[in-house]
Amino acid sequence: MPTLTINAIRKLLRGAPHDEAELEKLAAQVHTLPAGELSYLMRTTAPTESAVLFLVLDKNQALQVFKQLSPSYQAKLIDTLQTEQLTNIVTDLNPDERALLFGELPATVVKRLMQGLSEKEQQMTASLLGYPKDAIGRYMSPEVLAVPANLTVGEALDYICDRIDEPETIYVVPVVDDTRKLLGVVSLRGLLAAERGAPVTDTTHVPVSAQVTDNREDTARLFRSQKLLAMPIVDSEERLVGILTIDDVLSILDREDAEDAARTGGSEPLPQSYLSLPIMRVVRSRIVWLVVLAVSAILTVQVLDVFEDRLNEVVVLALFIPLLTGTGGNTGNQAATTVTRALAVGAVRVRDLPRIIWRELRVGAVLGVVLGALGLLIAGIVYGFDIGLVIGLTLLAICTMAACVGGVMPLIAKKVGADPAVFSNPFISTFCDATGLIIYFSIATTVLNLG
Amino acid sequence: MPTLTINAIRKLLRGAPHDEAELEKLAAQVHTLPAGELSYLMRTTAPTESAVLFLVLDKNQALQVFKQLSPSYQAKLIDTLQTEQLTNIVTDLNPDERALLFGELPATVVKRLMQGLSEKEQQMTASLLGYPKDAIGRYMSPEVLAVPANLTVGEALDYICDRIDEPETIYVVPVVDDTRKLLGVVSLRGLLAAERGAPVTDTTHVPVSAQVTDNREDTARLFRSQKLLAMPIVDSEERLVGILTIDDVLSILDREDAEDAARTGGSEPLPQSYLSLPIMRVVRSRIVWLVVLAVSAILTVQVLDVFEDRLNEVVVLALFIPLLTGTGGNTGNQAATTVTRALAVGAVRVRDLPRIIWRELRVGAVLGVVLGALGLLIAGIVYGFDIGLVIGLTLLAICTMAACVGGVMPLIAKKVGADPAVFSNPFISTFCDATGLIIYFSIATTVLNLG
């Protein structure tokens, strides 16, 4: 039963130090685990505890498991357990995986690990590390198979088969001239379907490519929108320097999605999986935003302070505060989520701002009419018509305002070059809270003849 | 300048009916647009308006554009413009794309379109439509190339080259026996690297496969976690019936992500892109949740109603209501977002519930101590020590409670078989609002000796 086994292993791992007999027991249990369970075990255990696992995994298993971890987790493992086993794993990584890991390690450790690599591997890794952290160059594979443009289809196929072990992919093959300038791309399928005697340039098509220094997310989105399997990467002189494969692209997009999801919820993304992190690291990902939001919320205290006399006069007004601010926040969040998503998938651009305001104005008004009517009815029955009218009108105004604010904020963020998710749901809620209270007490003052 | 062009085209499209001269002008403008701009144009225009475009696009362009639209958008286009051009496009779709489109069309239209297909295409489409809507069978390609197990590597390569035009992929090739039972999978790369004379079964490896009736999301996640390019799909007797490629998987996951994002923001997912939908359709995606949340928020009115006497006594307590409920909501959202994400990527399971409660209890307490200290200080200075103490203690209690609630709710949803995102951020906020108010007034009553 895997349930028992995972828990048993976790317990074993926690009880360091370990003697020989215990390690053997651990090894026996680990070898019965399916790959998916092993990966789940790692993601729910701190790196300091799971390090022991790498003593008992066989070489191949250790490499597979290691590859599935985030670079930050990998770095902590290496920090915890500086064994030959782990050094060997680093040697067996692809150059792009290694560059991402090295980006997380202190310079002294990188230097030590570099010495274990062959000269060619050292060179490739160093060149990848030379690109900025968010450049696509960090993610590409420098081991790219390209065929010279002067070959025939048959020669090209033989050329590929002779070098089949090295490159990361052989299904998309760049075609280059003598100076390694990228001329085109040919798919292996295209080559196999063509006449062997025809020149390879006949089946070549114009490549969708990117430059090494291009932004990783933009390049990944371009790759996805074109439904590619691989994309050649060139330097500033159009010379082929690497190839980006779909798994690189998907891991970039996964990371961006995780970042967006975290920001939308008002926290910073975690560097590794939730259950494997120390408590204080989780706190750190949340505290800054929470304090910023709490301090912004002091605005709501000040707004209410201004209206304290009205509250003293009609204390029943206080009862509706959470309902009204809550509804405003919800309406704003709905609009913000829709527009943020549409921006991410390219179905909306910044210049659509006027159309979006006009849409959200109408959507918000319709929502406000429905909720306002409900509010008028319910509050009117329980607290009298006057209060009902105040609540109804306030809901109408708040919904219209919040839908517009929620729709516009992601566009403003994008316009000023920030992540659209940075005006997160909590931020929009806080903004709508303060504005909504001003609307509420203004309407109440007029309708109830206060002040 | 594309900015001008897109707007000019949109204006042209809106002014139906169109005469011959106008259509020619439209055609001239459309042909200068890059593919990305054309796709953006479609996604920001209602199907009733963009239909005219299909009169002027050339056949190939029309097919490419059509393929990028959501099935719901495609269906509305066909409904608007029943021309031969569109009928031809339907004929040119892959069987899996066609099945998704037909799922959105009325039966009579499906029947008419079916008659335009060849007998083989009719058969394939009908068989895909026979699977339930969320089964992976709907998304696979029935045009799968499999090699018989008794061939040599060389024979298998020739076999593939002879049939290279039909299948959706040739890079992952299932190996079958005479009864079409799936025995294994071989990559084209593996075949090219092997000796031509060796039996094909020597390079075959055990396939990761799924059954036609398996759930689409589970299958897509399995596919992704194994980093596959294609996956054979079998029937209940292990016979090969189709192949799932990475673009099918990514479109399934994109749709699930869009659904999660929408639910997290408290609305239902939109069937097509935001700007192409009628206003009332956008309202419909939001109104249900908004009303549900507003009605739940009546709970907060009732809680406050109970404490109205205390509010009358110390009206200054009302000033902090939005700040306290807001902070509770934010803390809950942070935890919920983290756990929902961890559940989606498999880094947390339902049985981790005790560990998550224990984590969030500690994280929430640390956050609460920091915010509580801030609250004690600021509120203490402005409104006196007593009020400061109430606010500080309440923040500590609310943060601890909200972090636990936010962390636990997604697990409860998962446990009862619902989408973890169904307890959306707005829902958690509303729940924390009501609970937070009870905590607030209980603490105030004790500290201030009220009631």
Side-chain angles (χ1 to χ4, degrees):
Chain A
M1 274 186 287
T3 313
L4 272 175
T5 321
I6 289 261
N7 281 341
I9 294 173
R10 229 191 253 129
K11 212 168 157 188
L12 260 176
L13 290 174
R14 218 166 293 149
H18 304 273
D19 59 27
E20 201 67 25
E22 250 194 353
L23 286 180
E24 262 171 47
K25 201 168 138 197
L26 192 61
Q29 293 206 310
V30 164
H31 288 299
T32 62
L33 281 185
E37 293 299 296
L38 204 54
S39 133
Y40 165 67
L41 175 65
M42 297 291 294
R43 296 164 93 174
T44 52
T45 311
T48 41
E49 290 173 355
S50 70
V52 183
L53 265 182
F54 282 81
L55 294 173
V56 302
L57 291 177
D58 66 51
K59 203 189 151 182
N60 197 22
Q61 229 182 348
L63 180 64
Q64 290 316 315
V65 171
F66 192 82
K67 280 184 173 218
Q68 286 183 22
L69 303 169
S70 76
S72 145
Y73 196 113
Q74 292 175 342
K76 295 222 179 68
L77 265 185
I78 288 182
D79 196 41
T80 313
L81 198 75
Q82 310 199 349
T83 60
E84 205 182 332
Q85 170 85 296
L86 275 179
T87 316
N88 287 338
I89 287 180
V90 172
T91 318
D92 285 342
L93 291 178
N94 296 330
D96 48 345
E97 292 167 333
R98 202 184 299 127
L100 292 180
L101 164 60
F102 281 8
E104 300 285 330
L105 285 171
T108 49
V109 182
V110 170
K111 208 173 155 192
R112 184 174 57 76
L113 288 172
M114 273 285 209
Q115 282 161 4
L117 302 177
S118 73
E119 202 170 318
K120 191 184 154 205
E121 294 277 352
Q122 276 187 27
Q123 228 166 37
M124 283 196 292
T125 307
S127 78
L128 291 186
L129 282 172
Y131 304 120
K133 264 209 167 181
D134 59 354
I136 197 65
R138 280 265 177 140
Y139 296 82
M140 70 180 189
S141 168
E143 290 178 298
V144 50
L145 174 65
V147 296
N150 55 5
L151 300 188
T152 65
V153 167
E155 287 165 347
L157 282 171
D158 293 340
Y159 186 93
I160 294 169
C161 287
D162 288 346
R163 290 161 182 79
I164 204 159
D165 288 333
E166 288 165 33
E168 197 164 322
T169 181
I170 60 158
Y171 297 142
V172 174
V173 186
V175 178
V176 293
D177 70 10
D178 329 328
T179 64
R180 246 188 127 67
K181 224 185 110 175
L182 179 68
L183 298 179
V185 151
V186 57
S187 71
L188 185 60
R189 183 171 183 161
L191 284 177
L192 285 173
E195 289 290 332
R196 280 186 68 90
V200 80
T201 43
D202 278 9
T203 48
T204 303
H205 55 87
V206 181
V208 181
S209 68
Q211 283 205 10
V212 265
T213 50
D214 284 352
N215 176 275
R216 63 178 178 203
E217 185 176 359
D218 295 343
T219 310
R221 298 241 177 252
L222 172 69
F223 188 113
R224 273 285 284 124
S225 74
Q226 302 284 317
K227 302 195 172 176
L228 304 175
L229 283 181
M231 178 196 265
I233 306 290
V234 296
D235 64 13
S236 57
E237 279 149 27
E238 293 291 310
R239 278 188 308 247
L240 183 73
V241 290
I243 196 156
L244 189 70
T245 53
I246 190 151
D247 50 298
D248 303 325
V249 166
L250 294 178
S251 73
I252 293 172
L253 292 178
D254 276 354
R255 198 189 283 202
E256 296 292 338
D257 284 351
E259 216 176 276
D260 281 2
R263 295 251 166 86
T264 306
S267 57
E268 285 301 302
L270 301 174
Q272 64 200 44
S273 55
Y274 170 63
L275 283 177
S276 71
L277 277 176
I279 292 292
M280 289 314 290
R281 193 60 197 73
V282 178
V283 169
R284 228 173 73 196
S285 75
R286 299 185 189 172
I287 190 74
V288 178
W289 272 109
L290 212 52
V291 170
V292 169
L293 291 167
V295 170
S296 330
I298 292 181
L299 198 64
T300 62
V301 180
Q302 288 177 317
V303 170
L304 286 173
D305 205 44
V306 171
F307 294 111
E308 202 181 338
D309 294 344
R310 268 80 156 176
L311 267 178
N312 248 325
E313 248 179 288
V314 193
V315 89
V316 77
L317 286 177
L319 310 192
F320 294 94
I321 291 175
L323 181 133
L324 295 173
T325 55
T327 304
N330 293 340
T331 313
N333 285 347
Q334 290 182 328
T337 310
T338 308
V339 174
T340 303
R341 178 88 200 161
L343 266 175
V345 300
V348 150
R349 296 183 185 172
V350 174
R351 66 157 178 254
D352 293 316
L353 184 66
R355 285 183 78 192
I356 289 170
I357 294 181
W358 177 228
R359 295 210 121 207
E360 289 300 338
L361 208 62
R362 287 177 291 164
V363 171
V366 176
L367 295 171
V369 165
V370 176
L371 286 180
L374 262 172
L376 173 63
L377 194 75
I378 300 178
I381 290 172
V382 183
Y383 298 93
F385 177 74
D386 279 1
I387 297 291
L389 191 62
V390 171
I391 302 304
L393 288 176
T394 305
L395 280 170
L396 171 58
I398 281 184
C399 285
T400 313
M401 175 275 298
C404 288
V405 168
V408 167
M409 284 229 180
L411 293 173
I412 293 178
K414 179 93 177 180
K415 178 75 191 175
V416 302
D419 186 344
V422 91
F423 287 133
S424 59
N425 289 355
F427 189 87
I428 287 170
S429 299
T430 308
F431 183 90
C432 292
D433 282 1
T435 323
L437 289 172
I438 297 179
I439 293 176
Y440 180 35
F441 283 97
S442 306
I443 291 178
T445 307
T446 313
V447 174
L448 304 178
N449 276 316
L450 302 176
Chain B
M1 275 185 289
T3 315
L4 271 175
T5 321
I6 290 260
N7 281 340
I9 295 173
R10 229 191 252 129
K11 214 169 157 189
L12 261 176
L13 291 174
R14 220 168 289 148
H18 304 272
D19 58 27
E20 202 67 24
E22 252 194 352
L23 287 181
E24 261 171 48
K25 201 167 139 198
L26 192 61
Q29 293 206 309
V30 163
H31 287 299
T32 63
L33 281 184
E37 294 299 294
L38 204 53
S39 133
Y40 165 66
L41 175 66
M42 298 290 295
R43 297 163 93 175
T44 52
T45 312
T48 41
E49 291 173 355
S50 70
V52 183
L53 265 184
F54 281 82
L55 294 172
V56 300
L57 291 178
D58 65 52
K59 204 188 149 181
N60 197 21
Q61 229 182 351
L63 180 63
Q64 291 316 315
V65 171
F66 192 82
K67 280 183 174 219
Q68 285 184 21
L69 302 168
S70 76
S72 145
Y73 195 114
Q74 292 174 342
K76 295 220 179 71
L77 263 185
I78 288 181
D79 197 42
T80 312
L81 197 75
Q82 308 199 349
T83 59
E84 206 183 328
Q85 169 86 296
L86 276 179
T87 317
N88 287 338
I89 287 179
V90 171
T91 319
D92 286 341
L93 291 177
N94 297 331
D96 48 343
E97 293 166 332
R98 203 184 296 128
L100 293 180
L101 165 60
F102 282 8
E104 300 284 332
L105 285 170
T108 50
V109 181
V110 170
K111 210 173 152 193
R112 183 171 60 74
L113 289 171
M114 273 285 208
Q115 282 161 4
L117 302 178
S118 72
E119 203 169 316
K120 191 184 154 207
E121 294 277 352
Q122 276 187 27
Q123 229 168 36
M124 282 196 292
T125 308
S127 78
L128 291 185
L129 283 171
Y131 303 119
K133 266 210 165 182
D134 59 354
I136 197 66
R138 281 265 177 141
Y139 296 81
M140 71 182 189
S141 168
E143 290 177 299
V144 49
L145 174 67
V147 297
N150 56 5
L151 301 187
T152 64
V153 167
E155 287 165 346
L157 281 171
D158 294 340
Y159 186 91
I160 293 169
C161 287
D162 287 345
R163 292 162 183 77
I164 203 160
D165 289 332
E166 289 164 33
E168 197 165 323
T169 181
I170 60 159
Y171 298 142
V172 175
V173 186
V175 177
V176 293
D177 70 9
D178 329 329
T179 65
R180 248 190 123 66
K181 224 183 112 177
L182 179 69
L183 298 180
V185 151
V186 59
S187 71
L188 185 60
R189 183 172 185 158
L191 284 177
L192 285 173
E195 288 289 331
R196 280 188 68 91
V200 79
T201 42
D202 278 9
T203 48
T204 302
H205 54 88
V206 181
V208 180
S209 67
Q211 282 204 12
V212 264
T213 50
D214 283 353
N215 176 274
R216 63 177 177 201
E217 186 177 359
D218 296 344
T219 310
R221 298 239 179 254
L222 172 69
F223 188 114
R224 274 285 284 126
S225 74
Q226 302 285 315
K227 302 194 174 179
L228 304 175
L229 283 181
M231 179 197 264
I233 306 291
V234 296
D235 65 14
S236 58
E237 278 149 29
E238 292 290 311
R239 277 189 308 247
L240 183 72
V241 290
I243 195 153
L244 189 70
T245 52
I246 189 150
D247 50 299
D248 303 326
V249 166
L250 294 179
S251 72
I252 294 172
L253 292 178
D254 276 353
R255 199 189 284 204
E256 297 292 338
D257 284 351
E259 215 174 276
D260 281 3
R263 295 249 166 86
T264 307
S267 57
E268 284 302 302
L270 301 174
Q272 65 199 45
S273 54
Y274 168 62
L275 283 178
S276 71
L277 276 176
I279 292 291
M280 288 315 290
R281 191 63 198 69
V282 178
V283 169
R284 227 173 75 198
S285 76
R286 300 185 187 171
I287 191 74
V288 177
W289 272 109
L290 212 52
V291 169
V292 169
L293 291 167
V295 170
S296 329
I298 292 180
L299 198 64
T300 62
V301 181
Q302 288 176 318
V303 169
L304 286 174
D305 205 41
V306 171
F307 293 110
E308 201 181 338
D309 295 344
R310 268 80 154 176
L311 267 177
N312 247 324
E313 246 177 290
V314 193
V315 89
V316 78
L317 286 178
L319 310 192
F320 295 93
I321 291 175
L323 182 133
L324 295 173
T325 55
T327 304
N330 293 340
T331 314
N333 285 347
Q334 290 182 327
T337 310
T338 308
V339 174
T340 303
R341 178 87 202 165
L343 267 174
V345 300
V348 149
R349 295 182 187 173
V350 174
R351 65 155 179 254
D352 293 316
L353 184 65
R355 286 183 78 194
I356 288 170
I357 294 180
W358 178 226
R359 296 210 121 210
E360 289 300 337
L361 210 61
R362 287 177 292 163
V363 172
V366 175
L367 295 172
V369 165
V370 176
L371 286 180
L374 263 172
L376 172 63
L377 195 75
I378 298 177
I381 291 173
V382 183
Y383 299 93
F385 177 75
D386 279 2
I387 298 290
L389 190 62
V390 172
I391 302 303
L393 287 177
T394 305
L395 280 170
L396 171 58
I398 281 183
C399 285
T400 314
M401 175 276 297
C404 288
V405 168
V408 166
M409 284 228 181
L411 293 172
I412 293 178
K414 178 95 178 179
K415 178 77 190 173
V416 301
D419 186 343
V422 91
F423 287 133
S424 59
N425 288 356
F427 189 87
I428 288 171
S429 299
T430 308
F431 183 90
C432 292
D433 282 1
T435 323
L437 288 172
I438 298 178
I439 294 176
Y440 180 35
F441 284 97
S442 307
I443 291 178
T445 308
T446 314
V447 174
L448 305 178
N449 276 316
L450 303 176

